[in-house]
Amino acid sequence: MTLLATTSIAAISLYAMLSTVYKSAQVFHARRTTISTTPAKDIETNPVPSVDVIVPCFNEDPIVLSECLASLAEQDYAGKLRIYVVDDGSKNRDAVVAQRAVYADDERFNFTILPKNVGKRKAQIAAITQSSGDLILNVDSDTTIAPDVVSKLAHKMRDPAVGAAMGQMKASNQADTWLTRLIDMEYWLACNEERAAQARFGAVMCCCGPCAMYRRSAMLSLLDQYETQLYRGKPSDFGEDRHLTILMLSAGFRTEYVPSAIAATVVPDTMGVYLRQQLRWARSTFRDTLLALPVLPGLDRYLTLDAIGQNVGLLLLALSVLTGIGQFALTATLPWWTILVIGSMTLVRCSVAAYRARELRFLGFALHTLVNIFLLIPLKAYALCTLSNSDWLSRGSVAIAPTVGQQGATKMPGRATSEIAYSGE
């Protein structure tokens, strides 16, 4: 047996053991997130908090922006609700101007047009400085939320120990392509396994940007750190959702997940857009993982296992695949043990997901294993080597305004919204 074969077998065996322990614990804890951690007496006696919804937009597709704002206007919330739409120097700002006219008579809406592009964080802060609500809900401009989302997230935030809460993410364009279907399943697993298990201990490590609520008093105390995040002396402009979540945890607040608060966001429908998004997310994840390390000792031991499972597990899988490919290239023999272990683990994971979601489509998530091994692992390796790069990789694109055909039907060019809109992790 060659050194490459031995290394591949050892790496995949260690990965299998670590992943089995980690994923088993994850599924076990994820099933318990429906238990409320908010004391009933606090829910009954506290007044209904006021909520400010902040929607930063940049070159957004006019139709997608319209759908987003309509979902906010239809919120069924007993408290005071204000909606702040901030255009961050878009080249198609006529879309925002048109929406201002639609909601001119709705006193809940406030529109701000910045003269030039300043970035998502500064656009959010521009709205925060104007607003005064007890809670702040960040919503991406390519996201629509169910009518009860504000109520459900605000209900979770009535516990004063909670600094942030997120809802469940879905793909609004799920049916478009095989990739959007795959991403929708990926979102379900990320929310209902990873985030749900973390929420069992009040420590969701990333409250996803498309729909996340924060306590104003906590956010104001962290605003300077949030706005001025640097990496190796350079501004770190993306990954704002993960960074803000880590800051909340560092300040001693709980971060929660509310699975019944449903938000649907436009996801990439082409592989090029998807990989650019994943590269940006990978860089922000690596950066903020370092920031999160000092926080872990103060959290439940499961969160340490979670960090090890995600990071060490990735390294072991990458090592086993790399040495397996080397074995095949040099000896023309297939790394059968590596293939068998990866195939078996994929089958088990997809079967468990299909059972928990009560949907057979999750068996098709096995395709993600191939995407992960041959595309995402090399991309994450590249991200690790280029952490200083803060390029959004998409700022040059502009959504084109719709045209109206002879029958009055709206016609749009292909949707590239997920690439050009401000999308969180």
Side-chain angles (χ1 to χ4, degrees):
M1 184 178 294
T2 66
L3 178 60
L4 284 174
T6 302
T7 303
S8 182
I9 291 173
I12 198 62
S13 299
L14 288 173
Y15 170 75
M17 289 187 287
L18 174 59
S19 185
T20 299
V21 173
Y22 167 48
K23 288 297 181 181
S24 297
Q26 186 180 78
V27 170
F28 173 75
H29 291 305
R31 295 183 61 185
R32 306 180 66 184
T33 55
T34 54
I35 301 175
S36 174
T37 57
T38 306
K41 61 180 180 180
D42 290 340
I43 294 174
E44 294 172 359
T45 58
N46 288 351
V48 178
S50 56
V51 177
D52 294 328
V53 183
I54 296 178
V55 186
C57 58
F58 177 72
N59 291 345
E60 187 58 89
D61 180 322
I63 291 180
V64 174
L65 177 61
S66 176
E67 292 171 349
C68 170
L69 300 186
S71 74
L72 299 177
E74 294 168 359
Q75 287 301 298
D76 181 14
Y77 185 60
K80 182 180 179 181
L81 183 69
R82 291 280 291 174
I83 300 160
Y84 294 81
V85 183
V86 183
D87 177 79
D88 187 17
S90 297
K91 296 178 182 178
N92 66 338
R93 61 178 50 186
D94 288 347
V96 177
V97 173
Q99 290 302 317
R100 176 184 287 183
V102 172
Y103 296 100
D105 297 328
D106 193 330
E107 60 182 14
R108 297 173 299 172
F109 280 81
N110 179 290
F111 289 84
T112 300
I113 298 180
L114 302 180
K116 63 179 182 179
N117 179 251
V118 296
K120 183 175 181 179
R121 297 190 195 199
K122 287 183 171 61
Q124 289 174 333
I125 292 171
I128 292 172
T129 55
Q130 299 179 53
S131 63
S132 59
D134 301 313
L135 305 173
I136 296 171
L137 176 63
N138 286 337
V139 176
D140 277 351
S141 55
D142 61 356
T143 301
T144 58
I145 63 177
D148 57 358
V149 165
V150 171
S151 295
K152 288 182 175 178
L153 292 180
H155 184 274
K156 176 65 72 173
M157 298 291 291
R158 286 198 175 189
D159 181 348
V162 177
M166 64 167 283
Q168 180 175 178
M169 303 306 305
K170 295 188 175 183
S172 59
N173 56 332
Q174 171 195 344
D176 285 2
T177 66
W178 67 269
L179 181 59
T180 58
R181 292 184 179 90
L182 201 64
I183 295 173
D184 183 67
M185 290 185 280
E186 185 179 14
Y187 278 17
W188 189 95
L189 291 165
C191 289
N192 295 295
E193 287 189 353
E194 181 185 318
R195 265 67 164 191
Q198 293 169 350
R200 178 70 182 87
F201 307 101
V204 173
M205 302 306 288
C206 178
C207 289
C208 298
C211 182
M213 182 173 282
Y214 300 90
R215 188 172 306 281
R216 169 179 287 277
S217 58
M219 193 168 187
L220 289 179
S221 68
L222 302 169
L223 213 54
D224 287 342
Q225 297 179 66
Y226 175 58
E227 182 180 7
T228 60
Q229 182 188 6
L230 300 175
Y231 184 79
R232 293 182 179 176
K234 297 180 180 179
S236 184
D237 295 329
F238 48 66
E240 74 292 330
D241 42 12
R242 182 176 294 273
H243 184 63
L244 186 52
T245 306
I246 299 300
L247 290 178
M248 285 286 176
L249 290 169
S250 300
F253 290 96
R254 294 173 62 89
T255 54
E256 298 283 359
Y257 167 58
V258 183
S260 59
I262 307 298
T265 188
V266 180
V267 302
D269 56 5
T270 64
M271 186 58 70
V273 176
Y274 175 66
L275 292 179
R276 285 191 288 274
Q277 179 197 66
Q278 292 297 308
L279 176 58
R280 192 171 68 243
W281 287 4
R283 285 173 177 155
S284 70
T285 298
F286 287 135
R287 292 178 184 181
D288 285 297
T289 295
L290 298 175
L291 182 65
L293 291 179
V295 180
L296 292 178
L299 302 175
D300 189 272
R301 286 177 294 179
Y302 169 77
L303 278 305
T304 300
L305 172 63
D306 183 76
I308 293 173
Q310 291 194 44
N311 294 283
V312 177
L314 176 63
L315 291 174
L316 290 172
L317 179 59
L319 178 60
S320 65
V321 171
L322 185 62
T323 52
I325 292 175
Q327 174 191 337
F328 177 73
L330 295 176
T331 67
T333 59
L334 287 172
W336 288 112
W337 179 249
T338 299
I339 294 172
L340 178 62
V341 170
I342 292 176
S344 300
M345 295 185 70
T346 298
L347 180 60
V348 170
R349 186 189 184 197
C350 293
S351 298
V352 171
Y355 172 76
R356 291 192 64 229
R358 301 297 192 270
E359 296 182 45
L360 287 176
R361 69 186 178 112
F362 279 87
L363 295 178
F365 193 70
L367 178 60
H368 187 269
T369 297
L370 298 177
V371 174
N372 185 42
I373 290 174
F374 295 107
L375 294 176
L376 296 185
I377 287 180
L379 180 142
K380 290 176 182 178
Y382 176 72
L384 193 59
C385 296
T386 57
L387 283 183
S388 297
N389 189 334
S390 292
D391 186 4
W392 267 69
L393 307 172
S394 59
R395 289 294 184 87
S397 303
V398 180
I400 302 172
T403 58
V404 179
Q406 294 180 348
Q407 303 301 321
T410 302
K411 297 181 179 179
M412 287 294 298
R415 268 191 181 180
T417 312
S418 295
E419 182 182 12
I420 61 171
Y422 281 140
S423 299
E425 185 167 349

